[in-house]
Amino acid sequence: RGRLSQATVVERVNAPSAKFLVAAATPEFYPRMIKAISEVTVHQRAEQSVDFSWNIGLSILGLASRNRLTFAPDGVLVEGLDGNLAGALWRWQIAQSNPDSCVVAYHGWANMDTAGYILEKSVKREPYLEHGFVAGSNMVMLRALKRVVEAK
């Protein structure tokens, strides 16, 4: 009861979709864009995918996950393969609205009650906390990338 299927945030970005796609599809740049991501290691890069690990440091907990980024016709899909965020899914969906701007939908889902002891206990006590955590972290990710691509 109260389990989250997906959280989606949508923003208009004052940059071409190709520019946003490059930022979303380059995980080694994530720590420069998103303060909570402290480290990214790229393990393998292929034409249509990137396998990478990240460490996410929040004030009272840390999360580590190995992920696979794959290109989709309208953006990027990231799947948590192993670690605290195994089974999580994120999707950057990018639509060009005019030559100088795009609309980005960032979809995400993560099983927060298995992501670590503190989150497990918190979500078990208050299941809707999962909604806030996933929606809030999605907003942070999208706005961080938006800030970077609009500034360049």
Side-chain angles (χ1 to χ4, degrees):
R1 183 176 180 156
R3 293 310 311 257
L4 181 68
S5 297
Q6 171 181 294
T8 300
V9 292
V10 179
E11 290 268 354
R12 176 176 298 284
V13 178
N14 293 317
S17 60
K19 186 175 181 181
F20 193 93
L21 178 62
V22 168
T26 312
E28 58 265 44
F29 293 141
Y30 288 0
R32 290 189 228 160
M33 296 184 275
I34 303 155
K35 291 176 176 57
I37 298 176
S38 59
E39 181 183 349
V40 169
T41 302
V42 173
H43 302 288
Q44 182 177 14
R45 187 180 301 277
E47 186 177 326
Q48 291 296 314
S49 66
V50 179
D51 283 6
F52 69 98
S53 296
W54 60 12
N55 290 322
I56 302 172
L58 305 172
S59 60
I60 58 171
L61 62 111
L63 303 172
S65 181
R66 186 171 177 130
N67 311 291
R68 176 165 296 133
L69 179 151
T70 54
F71 291 93
D74 59 352
V76 174
L77 179 68
V78 177
E79 178 184 3
L81 301 176
D82 194 15
N84 297 107
L85 298 171
L89 294 169
W90 302 274
R91 181 175 177 209
W92 299 99
Q93 191 173 13
I94 308 161
Q96 191 74 36
S97 55
N98 66 52
D100 297 322
S101 69
C102 58
V103 175
V104 178
Y106 185 58
H107 313 276
W109 177 85
N111 193 4
M112 299 316 300
D113 66 347
T114 62
Y117 179 80
I118 292 172
L119 289 171
E120 176 187 345
K121 296 301 178 192
S122 299
V123 169
K124 189 174 202 171
R125 186 175 199 158
E126 177 48 69
Y128 290 110
L129 180 63
E130 180 178 46
H131 298 210
F133 191 85
V134 174
S137 62
N138 286 1
M139 190 176 300
V140 167
M141 290 288 283
L142 178 51
R143 289 192 174 162
L145 266 68
K146 175 183 175 172
R147 181 178 58 244
V148 168
V149 299
E150 287 183 344
K152 292 182 180 181

